[in-house]
Amino acid sequence: MLGFLASRQSGLDHPLRLRRAESTRRVLSLELNKDRDVERIHGSGVNSLDIEPVEGRYMLSGGSDGVIVLYDLANISRKPYYTCKAVCTVGKSHPDVHKFSVETVQWYPHDTGIFTSSSFDKTLKIWDTNTLQPADVFHFEGTVYSHHMSPVATKHCLIAVGTKSHKVQLCDLKSGSCSHILQGHRGEVLAVSWSPRHEYILATASADSRVKLWDVRRASSCLITLDQHNGEKSKASSETANTAHNGRVNGLCFTADGLHFLTTGTDDRMRLWNSSSGENTLVNYGKVCNESRKGLKFTISDGCSPDFVFVPFDSRIAVYTLYAGELITMLRGHYSDVDCCVFQSNFQELYSGSKDCNILAWVPAMRDPAPDEDSEKSGPQSHLNPAFQDAWSSSDEEG
Amino acid sequence: MDQKLSELVEQLTTSGEPELNLEKMKELKKICRTSDEHISHIYHLLMTQLNEDHAEVRFSAFQVVAELFTRSHQFRTLLISNFQEFLELTVETDYDQPLPPPKEVAQKLKKLAIKSVQEWHEKYGETYKKLSLGYHFLKQNKKVDFQDTSARTLAERKREEEKQRRLENIYKEKAKQAAEEMQEMSEEIQANLIEMENCFKLLMPDPFDFSVNGVESELGRTEDKAKAGSFQVEKEMGLEAPMPGTLDDEQPCCSKDLPPVTLNQKTGESGISGSSEYQEEDGKGLSERECEADDMNEDDSFIRKHGLGSHTYNLNLEISTDLKVCENEDNSAVVTNLLDICRLIKNKFCPSIQSWIQLFTKAGVNDDRLRHAIDLKRQLEMALKKHEALNIECQQRERKVMKDSDEEDDDDFVEVPEKEGFEPHIPDHLRKEYGLESLAPPQAAKTQGIVKPAGPNPPKRPKTNDEELDPTCAAATWKLIRDKLPKLPPINSSVPGSPEPDTSTESINKQKKREEDRAIAPVMPFGIDLYYWGQDQPTAGKILKFSSQHRFWTPNELEEEVENKEMEAMLKTRYITFPGKFEPVKHKCRAPMPDGSLCERQDRFKCPFHGKIIPRDELGTPTNPEDQAREAKQKFEKEAEEQDWRDPEFMREIESATGVDLGSSKITGKGKGGKKGKKKKYPNLTDLKQHTNTSRSRLQKKVFNKAAVKRVVSAMNRMDQKKHEKFANQFNYALN
């Protein structure tokens, strides 16, 4: 750290280098911190989390009982201990609350004044954050599994919606109507995601084990249908042709630079794809337990030198390096299946929502104070908290 | 050191006991405190033990964990880092991963674990975040009620509540019904109570209520008891004092002891006053007597003044302390009524009130209804008590009725002249009218001789006749027999000079025998043919031939009737089957069973388990000596046989315990014992496999045995194949 600082000071290093190194270190030291709590509002499982990209301060959470909660993550109290307060809630008593489980929540990428939520009650709602009233409601034929707005789009304002029907629908916020329908999938569409690099590129993952890349300017057909075997085996057996997974594909996430994206499937595999060529990069992540029948929200860190993937793994969160596929650690804290996790890149914090109603904050561990000689001598008594002390009874007889 | 640690952990966790061995625990702790490495080692050891599929192992392991958890920070961190799994293994958070058997220990483990988690949360929850998360998880998601010691799951609680609610509803409904019933019945009860109260009043006057007393004394069957200050002279009537005038020794009256001079007067007076309200008249009577006595004797004045007969006056008051009401003809109606009511109360009201009260208490009704029921019950009980206190001496009811009807026949019942045309017994003097010979048997004359002098109605029947005419009384039956029997002897005796009296006795004997035979002979159903037995039946055995049914054409000559001898013979033979009467078996096998009881089987001749049924004494040993010998022999043979299959393992165990060679090795050598030699690893733990050794499982083993299943399947397949052959629908072809 000091070395990085010195070289940064002297201008030997690129400024990014220090940042990357430090953020990597912080990500590696993520832990469940007792100083950080998220207020317990949800009475049932948490399906979806999203942190607004502007400040990285507010977080939305959608629960399986239809409740949407907005948290303030910033700690302005200047104390180590902080509980993320719920700023506002679309609770059960709210007139416009979703009737059924909220599957996806997302901030409007450019402003915190709007957020969107889609639910199993077959609606997609556009909310005005300040009045907490829905500005617009889109109705669909099937339950909505996932929706996404492009974070980089400047020329369009489309929300891609994956529903139970096999079509991907594009809703235009400007007109308030469904402008496109992308046909090609043969199963329900469990995950949709816009490319963070090209504003017209959309990736969709479906229960028919296919992942397709679309250019929304050309709605007639998709660009590529991803093939897990990169076209080698598909010649032999037509059935497995052009499938991305051997089960339902329920998770989809682009890297921050948009060059690659990850998919997860119920075949307990995670695959990294080249988003421009649609090739399977064949990174082996090992077995990633995944039994979710709905969409799975996982996340990829941003700004670390090897980037990391945080993916729900039963009741744990597995941390892999993105390109090597190496399992770094398992974050244990939830008592039930984890449904979603979201990475806050400014402070390298991770938030995860689970079926056990908890939202847990995974915060980088504080750097241990430099071991002094004095404290070394004083030994375990120097612990601040008596709970950390051992309590062996003093006499040997007692044990 | 690590070796020792794992040994200790294994010993501790496989002890199977509810408490840990303190010494071993001490030793364990001593090792643990030496370094953190040992702690992580023991943590892993304990986790593996917690993963064992045996609740007792888990329970003991959990106890060790709890001990260490409060002591070592390192252990806490380790455990909490894997708290999910720990909870799954101890609190059963994962539904698909239930706690292993035995069930009671698993339940105990769960309870203890929940309690410990709560304690830990209170103590360390702030510093160990995951611990508090786990606690909240249990509390909110698994809905564990930490106050509820029984540690029931949500579903269990719900089920319990539902059951409770259902029961409550049922009780409420029942209580409502009971209330209605009570409403209906309470009037009846009240009426009965009032009636009873009145009966009491009639039977037993209130000593302070004189107006009533007067009325009652006329009824005169009460016996008042002296209460507190006022003493009363007993009045005795009824059976004990049938005549009010003749006061006798039984009456504890002072007059008995009086000298003869005064006695006359006194007895006379008391006789006149009719012994009623003696105590009331006492003062008045005395003063009157004084006036009268004034002129009689001056000297006696002192005595008289004091109402004394003489100086040697002994007053003996016999105050009976127990109540006694005797029944006599005067009060019998009241007593009968009282007894009826009592019976009604005892048999009907009390049980129903009891059931109401039970229902109300069960239903949690705590209002007027319950109070009302309790009031009713108390009233009834008081009434019953009062009845008991009265100590009513009833006469034998039946006898009394009979006697009464006898005695009061003349007075109470209006004589009804015999109905014309129906004379069950023709009186002697009327026999002539009917054209019958007078029977005139001497005994009848005797009984009928007591004809009372004629009253207004001439056919005044004698007493005995009355009885005899009543078909329900024994006398009538006797008369019937008497009437019947003489019919036969007169025929014999009517022949005046019957020469052979011995033949008559013979015939009587014969007759007697016949009678006896007739009594023994079974009565069988018979056909109508027997009714005409012996009579010549014209059509019997004849076959009528109608040769032609044709309308116009008839054959010229044909015998229309054909006699068939065989048929005739057939009609004159008759078989009546008589299988005898079924007699249920009364005896039991009574052979001694291994558990000490006697065989209860009731076979007629042979018990399927113990052979021929022989007489046995109460211990089950045969009474006949030869049977005894046979049984002893059999027993000996059986024992010799048993020697062969004695359990070698059991014998070996005994040998190892006692050090005496019983020859198990011999048996093992030739038998199957060799492979059984494997010893149980942890003898103290409850054997989980043993639990499965139930009759069901044993049967299962037999029924689901591979070979058996195969056999059944092949048989069924064969049957299926046969279905397509001939006679497939007939079961006896299907199985062969």
Side-chain angles (χ1 to χ4, degrees):
Chain A
M1 180 79 185
L2 287 173
F4 277 120
L5 277 177
S7 52
R8 168 83 183 84
Q9 231 165 6
S10 55
L12 289 171
D13 270 350
H14 192 274
L16 265 180
R17 224 176 119 81
L18 168 65
R19 197 178 138 191
R20 276 195 181 136
E22 179 59 14
S23 55
T24 308
R25 188 198 64 77
R26 280 171 68 89
V27 166
L28 286 175
S29 67
L30 277 183
E31 63 169 24
L32 196 62
N33 200 325
K34 67 180 168 61
D35 289 340
R36 185 64 64 92
D37 256 333
V38 181
E39 203 174 347
R40 216 183 289 268
I41 303 279
H42 285 287
S44 59
V46 180
N47 279 335
S48 174
L49 290 171
D50 191 41
I51 297 173
E52 48 99 5
V54 182
E55 277 180 292
R57 176 168 173 184
Y58 295 105
M59 180 172 74
L60 278 173
S61 71
S64 58
D65 51 355
V67 173
I68 300 169
V69 186
L70 202 161
Y71 291 102
D72 183 2
L73 302 181
N75 179 9
I76 41 173
S77 64
R78 294 182 172 276
K79 279 179 197 144
Y81 181 76
Y82 175 64
T83 301
C84 299
K85 287 272 176 343
V87 179
C88 52
T89 309
V90 182
K92 278 280 173 202
S93 53
H94 194 281
D96 296 308
V97 68
H98 280 292
K99 280 195 202 78
F100 304 129
S101 165
V102 174
E103 284 304 295
T104 315
V105 286
Q106 199 196 359
W107 286 103
Y108 183 64
H110 312 295
D111 191 2
T112 54
I114 302 177
F115 67 88
T116 55
S117 69
S118 62
S119 154
F120 269 7
D121 63 4
K122 305 181 184 177
T123 58
L124 165 72
K125 290 187 180 176
I126 318 296
W127 299 83
D128 182 340
T129 316
N130 297 309
T131 61
L132 220 62
Q133 296 293 328
D136 201 354
V137 180
F138 292 91
H139 290 276
F140 301 95
E141 284 161 22
T143 53
V144 183
Y145 283 104
S146 167
H147 75 272
H148 196 240
M149 280 183 87
S150 172
V152 291
T154 52
K155 301 206 176 89
H156 71 80
C157 214
L158 293 172
I159 305 173
V161 183
T163 66
K164 198 171 182 181
S165 70
H166 306 166
K167 302 160 198 163
V168 178
Q169 307 197 350
L170 299 180
C171 299
D172 196 343
L173 276 188
K174 281 182 191 158
S175 66
S177 68
C178 187
S179 60
H180 290 49
I181 289 175
L182 306 176
Q183 283 182 318
H185 280 298
R186 290 176 215 161
E188 51 249 54
V189 181
L190 297 175
V192 291
S193 184
W194 292 94
S195 160
R197 194 173 190 88
H198 306 288
E199 61 176 312
Y200 295 112
I201 300 294
L202 174 72
T204 59
S206 156
D208 63 0
S209 37
R210 288 189 169 79
V211 176
K212 288 174 188 280
L213 286 177
W214 310 80
D215 187 334
V216 295
R217 290 167 296 189
R218 201 185 66 156
S220 59
S221 69
C222 65
L223 282 180
I224 315 163
T225 301
L226 303 182
D227 182 10
Q228 54 183 327
H229 305 297
N230 286 331
E232 282 163 24
K233 270 195 184 165
S234 59
K235 287 160 195 159
S237 57
S238 56
E239 281 131 27
T240 56
N242 296 332
T243 54
H245 285 267
N246 293 328
R248 301 151 66 89
V249 188
N250 56 7
L252 183 63
C253 183
F254 274 93
T255 55
D257 53 13
L259 290 174
H260 295 87
F261 67 93
L262 275 167
T263 57
T264 56
T266 51
D267 56 352
D268 293 343
R269 291 280 172 262
M270 186 157 71
R271 300 216 157 86
L272 181 70
W273 308 86
N274 186 327
S275 58
S276 54
S277 65
E279 268 177 25
N280 186 355
T281 57
L282 299 173
V283 175
N284 182 15
Y285 295 96
K287 188 184 179 190
V288 182
C289 276
N290 180 354
E291 277 156 17
S292 173
R293 298 191 56 81
K294 308 189 288 185
L296 188 75
K297 278 90 184 173
F298 61 100
T299 189
I300 297 172
S301 72
D302 182 15
C304 309
S305 63
D307 268 323
F308 298 100
V309 190
F310 304 95
V311 61
F313 194 108
D314 285 345
S315 66
R316 293 157 287 179
I317 300 165
V319 183
Y320 295 96
T321 53
L322 180 61
Y323 297 111
E326 186 189 346
L327 177 65
I328 302 295
T329 179
M330 287 278 194
L331 303 175
R332 296 160 183 274
H334 285 292
Y335 286 86
S336 189
D337 287 353
V338 181
D339 279 328
C340 55
C341 46
V342 64
F343 187 71
Q344 211 269 21
S345 50
N346 293 354
F347 296 103
Q348 287 83 37
E349 290 166 348
L350 182 76
Y351 293 88
S352 61
S354 151
K355 284 202 177 74
D356 66 4
C357 317
N358 282 330
I359 298 173
L360 293 187
W362 305 86
V363 180
M366 293 303 284
R367 205 182 274 273
D368 281 333
D372 296 337
E373 283 174 12
D374 298 343
S375 66
E376 198 77 7
K377 274 174 202 161
S378 56
Q381 275 76 19
S382 67
H383 280 303
L384 291 171
N385 199 314
F388 287 138
Q389 287 173 20
D390 287 355
W392 301 108
S393 45
S394 53
S395 76
D396 287 347
E397 305 299 309
E398 297 280 321
Chain B
M1 205 64 127
D2 282 355
Q3 188 64 35
K4 182 111 190 272
L5 209 57
S6 49
E7 264 173 34
L8 272 174
V9 167
E10 192 169 324
Q11 281 169 9
L12 274 169
T13 52
T14 55
S15 68
E17 281 160 28
E19 298 291 327
L20 291 176
N21 188 337
L22 277 179
E23 305 219 337
K24 279 178 188 156
M25 200 58 220
K26 247 183 227 167
E27 214 169 323
L28 188 78
K29 281 188 253 182
K30 220 184 278 177
I31 298 171
C32 284
R33 65 179 305 177
T34 49
S35 90
D36 281 356
E37 271 169 37
H38 287 138
I39 285 189
S40 67
H41 184 67
I42 200 175
Y43 163 74
H44 289 296
L45 285 174
L46 285 172
M47 278 319 268
T48 45
Q49 291 295 2
L50 277 176
N51 267 309
E52 288 287 326
D53 269 340
H54 196 297
E56 284 175 6
V57 176
R58 285 199 193 183
F59 187 64
S60 300
F62 180 81
Q63 283 173 316
V64 180
V65 166
E67 288 275 331
L68 293 177
F69 190 88
T70 52
R71 287 187 168 71
S72 162
H73 165 61
Q74 170 78 10
F75 191 81
R76 282 196 288 270
T77 351
L78 282 170
L79 187 74
I80 283 168
S81 71
N82 199 8
F83 207 57
Q84 287 96 333
E85 196 189 342
F86 176 74
L87 286 185
E88 269 168 25
L89 293 176
T90 55
V91 195
E92 208 177 7
T93 49
D94 190 357
Y95 187 77
D96 300 328
Q97 229 179 307
L99 291 180
K103 216 171 174 185
E104 315 84 62
V105 186
Q107 203 56 246
K108 227 163 84 183
L109 167 67
K110 198 171 162 186
K111 250 190 251 179
L112 180 72
I114 285 175
K115 208 173 123 216
S116 311
V117 167
Q118 192 186 14
E119 281 170 9
W120 296 346
H121 171 70
E122 277 163 16
K123 209 166 170 188
Y124 308 105
E126 283 175 24
T127 42
Y128 297 93
K129 175 135 193 214
K130 263 182 86 173
L131 178 60
S132 70
L133 279 176
Y135 175 76
H136 285 296
F137 171 70
L138 284 182
K139 201 169 165 183
Q140 289 174 358
N141 289 41
K142 293 289 161 189
K143 312 279 188 237
V144 171
D145 187 354
F146 285 94
Q147 313 315 323
D148 189 358
T149 44
S150 58
R152 292 171 300 172
T153 63
L154 187 68
E156 275 173 294
R157 263 202 302 271
K158 248 186 201 159
R159 225 174 297 133
E160 197 93 334
E161 273 168 21
E162 214 150 85
K163 198 176 160 193
Q164 199 72 31
R165 216 174 310 132
R166 214 175 47 235
L167 271 182
E168 246 167 48
N169 276 342
I170 290 169
Y171 283 142
K172 233 175 237 168
E173 199 59 37
K174 274 190 176 168
K176 226 166 94 185
Q177 275 178 14
E180 279 170 19
E181 209 175 307
M182 192 170 72
Q183 230 24 285
E184 286 167 16
M185 218 190 240
S186 62
E187 282 171 25
E188 199 185 336
I189 292 175
Q190 288 297 352
N192 272 312
L193 276 173
I194 289 165
E195 202 176 336
M196 205 171 172
E197 194 55 38
N198 286 335
C199 286
F200 286 140
K201 270 185 193 155
L202 288 174
L203 283 177
M204 162 81 215
D206 193 331
F208 300 106
D209 190 358
F210 295 125
S211 63
V212 180
N213 201 2
V215 179
E216 274 160 7
S217 56
E218 272 178 29
L219 284 169
R221 81 177 86 75
T222 49
E223 185 178 328
D224 278 10
K225 189 175 68 176
K227 279 184 190 167
S230 79
F231 74 88
Q232 292 166 304
V233 178
E234 278 185 355
K235 304 165 281 181
E236 291 212 347
M237 293 190 75
L239 288 181
E240 287 168 37
M243 297 289 282
T246 59
L247 286 173
D248 53 12
D249 317 45
E250 278 174 59
Q251 185 146 9
C253 184
C254 47
S255 49
K256 197 164 61 181
D257 298 327
L258 286 178
V261 188
T262 48
L263 182 84
N264 286 334
Q265 200 179 3
K266 278 228 156 181
T267 47
E269 254 188 38
S270 64
I272 291 156
S273 70
S275 88
S276 64
E277 292 164 78
Y278 199 81
Q279 82 282 8
E280 270 181 79
E281 282 189 358
D282 218 11
K284 202 175 74 186
L286 273 180
S287 60
E288 275 173 17
R289 262 177 264 145
E290 249 181 314
C291 299
E292 285 172 327
D294 258 347
D295 48 32
M296 279 177 69
N297 205 335
E298 271 301 353
D299 294 355
D300 288 345
S301 64
F302 168 77
I303 301 164
R304 293 259 174 124
K305 264 177 192 161
H306 289 82
L308 296 174
S310 70
H311 292 288
T312 59
Y313 193 90
N314 277 338
L315 192 63
N316 282 336
L317 285 178
E318 210 173 277
I319 299 159
S320 85
T321 47
D322 58 331
L323 265 174
K324 208 168 195 184
V325 174
C326 296
E327 188 181 10
N328 54 24
E329 63 265 28
D330 293 330
N331 62 6
S332 70
V334 182
V335 170
T336 314
N337 194 15
L338 190 63
L339 287 178
D340 282 347
I341 295 173
C342 267
R343 213 171 305 131
L344 196 65
I345 287 173
K346 266 184 204 154
N347 295 341
K348 190 178 168 198
F349 296 149
C350 276
S352 50
I353 286 184
Q354 196 62 38
S355 68
W356 295 336
I357 290 174
Q358 263 175 14
L359 264 176
F360 288 148
T361 42
K362 257 186 203 164
V365 174
N366 210 2
D367 53 6
D368 281 346
R369 287 180 283 176
L370 182 63
R371 215 168 304 133
H372 187 58
I374 290 171
D375 278 349
L376 274 180
K377 195 187 169 200
R378 210 176 40 232
Q379 281 172 1
L380 287 182
E381 271 170 359
M382 263 167 63
L384 280 181
K385 217 185 234 169
K386 221 169 177 178
H387 171 248
E388 237 151 66
L390 265 184
N391 221 346
I392 293 173
E393 190 179 276
C394 356
Q395 299 157 341
Q396 303 261 312
R397 315 286 304 167
E398 294 81 9
R399 267 191 57 205
K400 199 208 80 186
V401 169
M402 279 273 292
K403 216 165 69 189
D404 278 0
S405 66
D406 279 352
E407 286 168 353
E408 295 159 9
D409 208 13
D410 310 301
D411 327 321
D412 291 356
F413 295 105
V414 178
E415 279 300 327
V416 181
E418 286 298 343
K419 201 183 157 210
E420 261 184 60
F422 173 73
E423 294 287 311
H425 177 78
I426 301 159
D428 206 27
H429 62 278
L430 287 177
R431 279 184 92 82
K432 269 180 193 151
E433 280 176 35
Y434 284 86
L436 287 170
E437 290 268 319
S438 169
L439 275 177
Q443 77 267 37
K446 244 184 251 166
T447 47
Q448 285 168 7
I450 323 168
V451 178
K452 280 185 181 175
N457 35 1
K460 184 78 185 167
R461 283 177 286 114
K463 208 165 155 191
T464 41
N465 260 7
D466 287 349
E467 268 183 4
E468 282 165 9
L469 287 177
D470 185 359
T472 57
C473 70
T477 324
W478 177 238
K479 170 137 195 317
L480 216 70
I481 295 165
R482 215 174 47 204
D483 280 357
K484 267 188 188 163
L485 275 180
K487 267 183 195 165
L488 295 171
I491 301 164
N492 285 338
S493 54
S494 65
V495 182
S498 99
E500 53 268 320
D502 45 347
T503 48
S504 76
T505 52
E506 220 170 70
S507 71
I508 285 170
N509 279 348
K510 230 186 219 170
Q511 198 142 15
K512 233 184 214 168
K513 203 170 168 237
R514 232 174 118 178
E515 288 282 318
E516 276 168 17
D517 283 349
R518 195 176 287 169
I520 297 166
V523 177
M524 295 296 296
F526 61 96
I528 196 73
D529 54 338
L530 282 186
Y531 193 74
Y532 299 108
W533 199 254
Q535 294 176 20
D536 237 358
Q537 283 167 62
T539 56
K542 281 176 189 157
I543 300 169
L544 292 179
K545 276 194 179 171
F546 294 105
S547 46
S548 169
Q549 310 275 314
H550 203 278
R551 224 189 282 179
F552 314 117
W553 180 84
T554 47
N556 44 2
E557 189 71 22
L558 208 86
E559 231 180 301
E560 291 225 324
E561 289 182 354
V562 179
E563 267 193 35
N564 193 338
K565 289 281 173 204
E566 274 177 38
M567 283 284 283
E568 213 170 337
M570 236 160 73
L571 277 173
K572 286 186 180 163
T573 356
R574 171 85 165 138
Y575 297 102
I576 297 176
T577 49
F578 172 56
K581 219 167 62 186
F582 174 74
E583 272 176 50
V585 178
K586 298 233 176 56
H587 56 259
K588 289 178 182 169
C589 170
R590 289 166 59 78
M593 306 271 276
D595 64 345
S597 61
L598 297 178
C599 180
E600 293 283 318
R601 284 194 64 96
Q602 291 188 312
D603 299 281
R604 199 171 292 274
F605 302 113
K606 193 178 172 190
C607 174
F609 301 115
H610 305 104
K612 204 176 160 231
I613 290 166
I614 45 176
R616 292 167 191 274
D617 60 7
E618 64 268 20
L619 288 174
T621 49
T623 42
N624 293 345
E626 59 260 39
D627 285 335
Q628 232 163 344
R630 189 165 44 85
E631 206 142 279
K633 201 175 144 203
Q634 270 176 1
K635 201 175 165 191
F636 180 74
E637 274 169 14
K638 204 175 171 193
E639 255 173 24
E641 211 172 281
E642 249 170 55
Q643 288 278 340
D644 293 342
W645 53 268
R646 238 188 313 186
D647 188 8
E649 204 175 327
F650 178 63
M651 281 179 71
R652 213 176 305 117
E653 246 168 54
I654 294 175
E655 274 166 35
S656 65
T658 56
V660 182
D661 183 33
L662 295 171
S664 70
S665 48
K666 229 173 22 193
I667 294 162
T668 324
K670 65 179 175 182
K672 60 209 169 167
K675 63 185 173 192
K676 270 198 169 180
K678 210 168 80 182
K679 222 186 156 194
K680 233 172 88 184
K681 203 173 173 193
Y682 304 116
N684 293 330
L685 289 179
T686 313
D687 192 358
L688 295 181
K689 278 173 193 147
Q690 217 167 39
H691 283 289
T692 58
N693 190 18
T694 56
S695 51
R696 186 197 166 84
S697 69
R698 285 195 299 272
L699 268 177
Q700 230 165 14
K701 222 189 270 169
K702 282 251 164 69
V703 172
F704 296 124
N705 186 13
K706 240 184 200 168
V709 169
K710 222 183 252 172
R711 215 161 47 231
V712 169
V713 164
S714 66
M716 288 177 80
N717 281 341
R718 215 164 49 231
M719 268 169 72
D720 282 349
Q721 280 172 3
K722 286 267 166 85
K723 256 184 198 168
H724 307 293
E725 292 172 11
K726 258 184 192 173
F727 310 126
N729 52 352
Q730 291 179 17
F731 76 97
N732 50 341
Y733 288 97
L735 282 172
N736 299 321

